[in-house]
Amino acid sequence: MRQGLDGGSGDGGGLVVGMEVAVVVDREGGEQIGFISPLQSAAAMGYDGILLGMGNPLLDISSVVDQEFLDKYDIKLNNAILAEEKHLPMYEEMASKFSVEYIAGGATQNSIRVAQWMLQVPGATSYMGCIGKDKFGEEMKKNSKLAGVNVHYYEDETAPTGTCGVCVVGGERSLIANLSAANCYKSEHLKRPENWALVEKAKYIYIAGFFLTVSPESILLVAEHAAANNKVFSMNLSAPFICEFFKDVQEKVLPYMDFVFGNETEARIFSKVRGWETDNVEEIALKISQLPKASGTHKRITVITQGADPVVVAEDGKVKLFPVILLPKEKLIDTNGAGDAFVGGFLSQLVQEKPIEDCVRAGCYAANVIIQRSGCTYPEKPDFN
């Protein structure tokens, strides 16, 4: 019998996470009841390391700022960019001028932490990326382990742990990432037996597009492994600048993508740089889903979020729209991590082989929780049914 992780199972059994769980085991001569603890449950139920993420681990330095600050550093809302020379003083200025919060972040790491939170099964998720040997790096390790994620960080001896300025005005956010150590990830770390074992164990792999700027070689190694072993490989368009300035490396990995996530702005830029001459998000999602694939095992599914507008899902030559959970403006704290949380929620159901409708519903639920809090943070337990 395969237990579900959402309070139900394939044949009407139940699971309560956080206490011993009764499992019916088929044996010759009848069924026997055994018990597993929550710490055993990931392995016992086939969820041990089922989902692997790779990306740029960053410490978010998050604050509500003012328009004057955005103008000073030429920052646009609802955007994500890599820090240039002119942005470097902003991190210190944020800390001295505004009330800042330090939150473990980075797009892929956010998604993996949210998936782990939704699953509530320790060790169901793993993550790799590069941090510095410093106090921010130690903080990151502590946070991730507390979240139940099995992290295998590559620790760079010289570069400090990467940071991301999260500037919030009126609930809308802008991200300015200073990658530092996150930019130093090497495929040699991935190839080490103890790290490659995470790849071997995973059945689902997710990487945000931001990692294309750091280690495309690592992405291709993992993507080729997924295609050869009938695993599900997913990526995110992540930001307009990725679609625009890293088109060539994105193009190399696209054939391996079974799921492509993104938002409406990224989708339109993706279309523009390919000369598709359409701004229609549904058309673009459909076109992305129909691009050539490296393996025919899984069809490609495109999932595009549009803020408060319906989520667009394209598969099998058809487009479906799913409404999001609308939130009154006064309940919106900040949109930082909303897209990452959507992916995390979605993946938490995908790894349980739930229908796409349930995956989207879980994504919308997770995003709705995160935008009512500061940064990509969440309460102790989800109440998603």
Side-chain angles (χ1 to χ4, degrees):
M1 166 184 127
R2 181 178 169 196
Q3 285 274 1
L5 292 182
D6 60 343
S9 69
D11 55 1
L15 167 65
V16 182
V17 176
M19 55 191 288
E20 282 197 325
V21 180
V23 180
V24 179
V25 185
D26 293 316
R27 296 268 187 252
E28 282 183 37
E31 291 184 325
Q32 293 177 358
I33 292 182
F35 287 90
I36 55 173
S37 76
L39 287 174
Q40 292 172 304
S41 56
M45 299 166 62
Y47 287 96
D48 187 30
I50 193 167
L51 174 62
L52 169 67
M54 293 176 68
N56 302 334
L58 303 171
L59 192 75
D60 283 355
I61 301 171
S62 180
S63 178
V64 173
V65 300
D66 51 33
Q67 189 60 45
E68 191 186 339
F69 183 84
L70 297 184
D71 295 341
K72 179 178 178 180
Y73 289 103
D74 192 22
I75 298 166
K76 292 176 178 63
L77 284 175
N78 291 318
N79 200 9
I81 59 170
L82 292 177
E84 298 170 33
E85 197 72 35
K86 66 181 178 185
H87 298 115
L88 298 181
M90 66 169 272
Y91 302 96
E92 226 165 83
E93 188 177 333
M94 277 177 82
S96 62
K97 196 172 174 184
F98 306 104
S99 170
V100 300
E101 283 183 276
Y102 296 94
I103 303 160
T108 307
Q109 186 163 242
N110 284 343
S111 296
I112 296 299
R113 280 172 52 240
V114 169
Q116 179 63 52
W117 169 67
M118 291 283 287
L119 284 163
Q120 290 285 303
V121 179
T125 63
S126 309
Y127 176 79
M128 284 187 266
C130 185
I131 59 174
K133 284 200 164 185
D134 51 24
K135 74 172 198 294
F136 282 169
E138 287 304 315
E139 189 64 31
M140 197 94 79
K141 280 194 276 190
K142 192 175 81 183
N143 279 356
S144 301
K145 280 171 187 162
L146 274 173
V149 180
N150 178 18
V151 292
H152 283 214
Y153 291 126
Y154 170 49
E155 293 181 50
D156 191 82
E157 299 285 342
T158 52
T161 296
T163 49
C164 182
V166 181
C167 300
V168 182
V169 174
E172 303 293 341
R173 61 85 178 132
S174 191
L175 309 176
I176 304 91
N178 184 16
L179 295 182
S180 297
N183 207 28
C184 302
Y185 191 83
K186 306 282 187 294
S187 58
E188 287 68 38
H189 177 262
L190 173 64
K191 291 173 188 170
R192 284 183 207 155
E194 68 273 22
N195 300 325
W196 189 254
L198 298 182
V199 180
E200 296 276 4
K201 192 187 281 186
K203 293 176 186 167
Y204 295 82
I205 295 159
Y206 172 70
I207 301 174
F210 295 116
F211 203 49
L212 287 167
T213 72
V214 173
S215 188
E217 187 193 345
S218 297
I219 298 175
L220 276 168
L221 280 171
V222 169
E224 285 162 3
H225 165 85
N229 293 277
N230 298 335
K231 296 181 176 185
V232 176
F233 180 77
S234 308
M235 282 195 75
N236 203 310
L237 301 179
S238 289
F241 84 89
I242 298 289
C243 302
E244 208 163 357
F245 304 116
F246 292 87
K247 178 178 177 271
D248 294 347
V249 283
Q250 192 182 52
E251 206 74 31
K252 281 182 190 156
V253 189
L254 255 168
Y256 297 96
M257 297 183 203
D258 299 311
F259 282 83
V260 176
F261 296 94
N263 67 27
E264 76 279 36
T265 312
E266 296 149 7
R268 287 182 177 125
I269 294 290
F270 186 95
S271 169
K272 185 182 162 191
V273 298
R274 278 161 182 77
W276 286 352
E277 295 183 353
T278 177
D279 258 358
N280 183 300
V281 174
E282 293 173 41
E283 273 180 48
I284 297 164
L286 203 54
K287 278 177 170 283
I288 293 172
S289 73
Q290 292 167 338
L291 289 169
K293 279 195 96 257
S295 156
T297 309
H298 306 288
K299 59 194 174 184
R300 181 180 298 114
I301 298 175
T302 315
V303 184
I304 306 293
T305 58
Q306 307 186 91
D309 292 328
V311 177
V312 177
V313 176
E315 64 171 317
D316 288 336
K318 298 185 189 73
V319 172
K320 284 184 186 170
L321 300 178
F322 297 91
V324 302
I325 306 163
L326 294 174
L327 187 74
K329 183 80 175 165
E330 64 273 12
K331 285 194 173 180
L332 175 70
I333 301 295
D334 84 59
T335 56
N336 179 33
D340 304 336
F342 174 86
V343 173
F346 188 103
L347 294 173
S348 75
Q349 305 306 298
L350 187 69
V351 302
Q352 297 176 68
E353 299 176 8
K354 295 293 174 73
I356 291 296
E357 293 76 16
D358 289 357
C359 297
V360 173
R361 208 163 50 81
C364 291
Y365 163 79
N368 185 263
V369 168
I370 263 75
I371 61 175
Q372 295 182 66
R373 301 167 69 90
S374 184
C376 194
T377 62
Y378 37 77
E380 192 187 343
K381 295 270 169 78
D383 60 0
F384 174 75
N385 296 314

